[in-house]
Amino acid sequence: MSQVETSAPKERGEPRDKSQLTVGRRTTFLGALFRNELLTTFRRWRTLALLGVLAAVPILVGTAVKIETDDGSSAGPAGGGGPAFISQISNNGLFLVFTALAATLPFFLPMAVGVIAGDAIAGESSAGTLRYLLVAPAGRTRLLLTKYATTLTFCLVATLVVAISALTVGAFLFPLGDLMTISGTSISFTEGLGRALLIALVVAASLMGVAALGLFVSTVTSSGIAAMATTVGLLITVQILDQIPQLSALQPYFFSHYWLSFADLMREPVYWDDLVKNLGIQALYAAVFGSAAWARFTTKDITA
């Protein structure tokens, strides 16, 4: 007598084992966790205030240049590099984008990123919500990656806020059109706009090191305010050390040393050496302090 198969055949599309279903659930949860972190971060009044301050910088710079050049005089120093873009604003409003990014990158942008990164873990710990975020299937590693991804998203959004505000103010107060590169060649407004977008992306990428440093500090303490203050303090300290001539041998390894290299994107042809060094330094800091944050966070006692 033949045996009767009692188990029902698998339906088409059904996972062959539970591991596929588990991976799918974890991926869905990770996406939901990231979306929730983004909404939580960008709904906070502190975040909105930081973005508001960043958006106000191009308005102040543009207004000051407009007042100064109403009599036909030029604004700022003549020449090419970094902040000296200010001398070209009255001729082409697109240069306000480059000037605003050069003005905010040394302090305002990294300070804002340091506040967000420093509060990422320590803020949850001080609020007593960290243990609830670590309920399975979140896990510490996935939570840390989500926090870092959220901070990097803020880096991009903050940079674009500055760039868009500067472009809007520049178009309103000054003429637009073909523009002159640092090398003395002329490029079209469309190409200049493309380079402005590329510069904004490079500036956002230049903040990866600060984001990783802030995240590491955030895992060391349980006080959000202490983590933010420490991160901003380290940022100021590194900026000061980068200006001391006696430390010239160490300065190329500071995360802020090549920040203004984005000006090389306005050369014809583009000078890539310092840009590549800058991105390499940022990747190194992200790897080192990201690993340190992971090592600290995965062994941290969150019940204390």
Side-chain angles (χ1 to χ4, degrees):
M1 184 175 64
S2 61
Q3 294 181 347
V4 179
E5 190 75 22
T6 57
S7 60
K10 291 183 178 180
E11 296 181 2
R12 183 175 299 177
E14 182 181 351
R16 295 183 178 181
D17 51 48
K18 294 183 178 180
S19 61
Q20 296 182 11
L21 186 59
T22 302
V23 170
R25 287 176 176 173
R26 287 178 177 175
T27 303
T28 302
F29 181 84
L30 187 60
L33 181 63
F34 179 58
R35 288 192 300 271
N36 181 68
E37 283 297 323
L38 285 179
L39 291 174
T40 301
T41 299
F42 286 97
R43 283 177 176 174
R44 287 173 177 162
W45 285 108
R46 177 177 60 227
T47 304
L48 297 177
L50 290 172
L51 294 177
V53 170
L54 292 172
V57 172
I59 299 175
L60 296 175
V61 174
T63 303
V65 172
K66 182 65 176 178
I67 295 174
E68 183 179 350
T69 57
D70 270 346
D71 59 356
S73 60
S74 60
F85 281 131
I86 194 172
S87 64
Q88 302 294 331
I89 295 177
S90 59
N91 299 324
N92 195 316
L94 188 57
F95 277 104
L96 183 58
V97 177
F98 313 137
T99 302
L101 290 173
T104 54
L105 182 55
F107 182 72
F108 291 104
L109 273 171
M111 181 197 68
V113 172
V115 169
I116 299 299
D119 190 56
I121 300 297
E124 301 286 0
S125 181
S126 60
T129 56
L130 182 58
R131 67 185 67 184
Y132 300 107
L133 288 175
L134 292 177
V135 174
R140 301 193 181 202
T141 300
R142 280 189 287 273
L143 178 60
L144 192 66
L145 288 174
T146 301
K147 291 288 188 179
Y148 188 57
T150 302
T151 305
L152 292 182
T153 302
F154 176 81
C155 294
L156 179 59
V157 171
T159 304
L160 291 178
V161 164
V162 175
I164 293 173
S165 175
L167 181 60
T168 303
V169 175
F172 181 75
L173 296 179
F174 307 102
L176 297 176
D178 295 350
L179 62 159
M180 194 73 65
T181 66
I182 295 177
S183 304
T185 59
S186 179
I187 60 176
S188 66
F189 174 75
T190 302
E191 184 178 351
L193 200 60
R195 294 201 186 192
L197 176 59
L198 183 58
I199 284 175
L201 294 177
V202 170
V203 170
S206 299
L207 300 171
M208 290 191 304
V210 174
L213 175 62
L215 192 65
F216 167 68
V217 173
S218 188
T219 63
V220 174
T221 179
S222 296
S223 170
I225 296 178
M228 289 185 286
T230 301
T231 303
V232 174
L234 289 173
L235 167 66
I236 296 174
T237 301
V238 171
Q239 294 275 46
I240 294 174
L241 295 178
D242 199 25
Q243 303 300 318
I244 300 178
Q246 290 77 8
L247 299 178
S248 58
L250 298 176
Q251 288 168 355
Y253 300 99
F254 294 158
F255 56 76
S256 62
H257 188 69
Y258 294 105
W259 270 353
L260 294 181
S261 63
F262 71 80
D264 291 334
L265 288 170
M266 284 303 296
R267 300 184 186 275
E268 190 64 38
V270 174
Y271 182 68
W272 292 102
D273 287 3
D274 286 350
L275 288 166
V276 172
K277 290 178 181 178
N278 177 42
L279 296 179
I281 287 293
Q282 302 309 320
L284 177 63
Y285 271 83
V288 171
F289 285 102
S291 299
W294 175 82
R296 168 62 180 169
F297 188 52
T298 52
T299 58
K300 184 178 182 178
D301 181 14
I302 63 170
T303 62

